[in-house]
Amino acid sequence: MKHYNYLLATDIDNTLTGDPEALKELRNDLEALRKKGELFLVLSTGRRLNQVLDGFENEFIPRGDAIVSQVGTEIYLPPFSLSSRPNDEWNRKLNGQFSRGKALEFVEGIEGLELQPEEFNTPLKVSCYLDKAPDPEKAVEQIRRRIEDKGESCQVVWSSGRDLDIIPADAGKGKAIRFLINHLELSPKQVIVAGDSGNDRSMFDEFESGIIVGNAKPELKKLQEEHPGGKLFFAEKLYAAGVLEGLKHFGVL
Ligand code: GLC
Ligand code: MG
């Protein structure tokens, strides 16, 4: 088994993307560390696999050692291609606790709610837009309450004032990374996570060391109060420049 110093799990949209020049610099730095075998890089995203692969080609996204996609409902290991299959163990574990049909009942009749296009809705993820609801926050609370009342093993992930995902209780970016480090025999202390919005929350809840980029959404800014003893780093810089700032703070670069 390889000995890595760090595992960096970073979100893609508005964490890596947003400043292509800074991202090129970050990509060079990360690739140098990967070449030395010091860094295990995880791309941890709401995107579908094909959108991540597209990002490798067209958006300077660094190639990772693992991809956690669809808000932590799928995990991919190399070699990555359009025909890659998600990790079967993870898939089976989540499948056993989730019913898409039941998850859809929780969003039924919510005013203004729209289902996201079909390609973002999978057997393990019900995704909707709530920005047209009269009071999106209230609607989220209502959906959460419905789930609690039924005692269902699923969770709501709420991001950017627009995106609502219902995924299995044991899914999410944070738990998917925990699954990976168990397989890699890495300690949680070696993990650094980076993100900008609600679907990254589970990573900050699961691991101590985290980088919140300067452009983060309000739902992450309040993490400071919620994890007073943690090692969260609130970067001043935006997007990939914020990730670079954070990696210097943690002594990785
Ligand atoms: C990505 C996914 C979308 C999800 C959002 C927030 O944009 O495509 O389905 O709702 O992330 O998690
Ligand atoms: Mg993001």
Side-chain angles (χ1 to χ4, degrees), residues 11-17 44-46 160 173 194-200 213 215 217:
D11 169 49
I12 295 180
D13 292 288
N14 297 312
T15 300
L16 293 181
T17 65
S44 182
T45 177
S160 316
K173 295 180 176 188
D196 78 296
S197 83
N199 75 7
D200 301 312
V213 287
N215 54 291
K217 295 282 188 312

Side-chain angles (χ1 to χ4, degrees), residues 4-217:
Y4 300 100
N5 295 345
Y6 298 100
L7 180 148
L8 171 66
T10 177
D11 169 49
I12 295 180
D13 292 288
N14 297 312
T15 300
L16 293 181
T17 65
D19 178 349
E21 286 312 309
L23 179 52
K24 278 187 220 167
E25 184 185 335
L26 175 63
R27 184 170 76 167
N28 286 341
D29 288 347
L30 295 179
E31 280 177 357
L33 288 174
R34 285 181 66 221
K35 264 206 193 108
K36 285 195 263 173
E38 290 178 8
L39 177 78
F40 189 94
L41 177 64
V42 183
L43 299 159
S44 182
T45 177
R47 287 190 186 195
R48 291 153 47 99
L49 175 69
N50 68 313
Q51 298 174 301
V52 180
L53 300 182
D54 198 63
F56 291 157
E57 301 301 328
N58 302 313
E59 294 171 277
F60 312 113
I61 308 295
R63 276 180 185 274
D65 301 294
I67 297 172
V68 166
S69 67
Q70 301 265 30
V71 197
T73 57
E74 294 174 12
I75 297 175
Y76 294 90
L77 296 171
F80 305 125
S81 79
L82 285 175
S83 51
S84 299
R85 305 287 316 146
N87 179 278
D88 195 44
E89 190 183 336
W90 186 242
N91 197 47
R92 262 185 290 131
K93 173 181 156 83
L94 301 183
N95 252 319
Q97 65 173 210
F98 192 74
S99 147
R100 182 175 171 83
K102 277 194 193 152
L104 279 168
E105 282 173 22
F106 297 127
V107 299
E108 218 170 82
I110 301 281
E111 197 187 337
L113 179 141
E114 288 171 338
L115 266 191
Q116 290 182 15
E118 216 177 305
E119 65 264 33
F120 303 116
N121 274 281
T122 71
L124 291 172
K125 170 171 166 284
V126 167
S127 290
C128 313
Y129 296 126
L130 262 183
D131 49 331
K132 297 210 179 82
D135 185 341
E137 300 287 335
K138 230 174 165 178
V140 176
E141 276 322 302
Q142 195 182 346
I143 296 164
R144 284 205 167 112
R145 234 175 302 123
R146 285 180 177 182
I147 294 174
E148 258 169 46
D149 289 349
K150 287 259 158 90
E152 278 302 320
S153 50
C154 53
Q155 57 173 312
V156 168
V157 180
W158 172 231
S159 313
S160 316
R162 186 190 73 167
D163 300 325
L164 175 116
D165 309 303
I166 302 183
I167 59 174
D170 285 335
K173 295 180 176 188
K175 293 220 163 70
I177 295 156
R178 171 75 64 174
F179 173 86
L180 279 170
I181 67 166
N182 288 344
H183 278 268
L184 291 162
E185 295 178 14
L186 289 176
S187 143
K189 300 239 179 274
Q190 291 171 279
V191 176
I192 299 172
V193 302
D196 78 296
S197 83
N199 75 7
D200 301 312
R201 262 204 79 108
S202 63
M203 300 198 286
F204 297 104
D205 292 337
E206 195 80 28
F207 300 100
E208 262 196 332
S209 302
I211 303 166
I212 291 141
V213 287
N215 54 291
K217 295 282 188 312

